[in-house]
Amino acid sequence: MDDAGRAVTAHGTVVLSRERGGYRDMLRGYDVLIDDTRVGSIRRGKTVRFEVPPGEHRLQLKIAWCSSRPLTVQVVEGGTVSFVCAPGGGASEGITAVTVNKDDYITLRQTS
């Protein structure tokens, strides 16, 4: 309970940054999914933060029918877990990037 008698909800934070470099998807945002629910989007060179309940969560990014590989992360109460994302290849990859490699279209990795 806080000072006003309201229940305080415990949470942790997921921080996601998107690299600024490259030309692919320069003008497009990536949908951010936590536990298979769209919670927002991220654009080139930006950082977003999401409060989540403590526990295990699944993070994935999508754009049209392409995506990142999903990552599972353990978030502790009051803790912060950070990630960085970027296009998963160059603009020259063309049709291969959106067909054969559609699940690696976006690179997503946890940072320290």
Side-chain angles (χ1 to χ4, degrees), residues 3 5-6 21 28 32 36-38 51-52 73 87 92 94:
D3 293 336
R6 296 176 296 230
R28 300 174 70 194
V32 180
D36 299 315
T37 300
R38 186 184 183 280
E51 290 185 356
V52 297
V73 62
S92 63

Side-chain angles (χ1 to χ4, degrees), residues 40-98:
S41 67
I42 187 165
R43 298 192 70 79
R44 183 178 185 228
K46 301 295 182 187
T47 297
V48 293
R49 290 172 170 72
F50 302 98
E51 290 185 356
V52 297
E56 187 174 278
H57 296 280
R58 180 183 157 164
L59 176 66
Q60 186 173 30
L61 303 176
K62 290 196 174 200
I63 185 170
W65 62 88
C66 299
S67 67
S68 68
R69 298 273 174 187
L71 294 181
T72 301
V73 62
Q74 188 71 28
V75 179
V76 298
E77 182 177 343
T80 299
V81 184
S82 299
F83 297 87
V84 65
C85 68
S92 63
E93 291 179 9
I95 196 73
T96 302
V98 297

Side-chain angles (χ1 to χ4, degrees), residues 4-21:
R6 296 176 296 230
V8 176
T9 304
H11 68 272
T13 304
V14 172
V15 177
L16 175 63
S17 298
R18 182 168 162 187
E19 293 179 356
R20 185 158 181 75

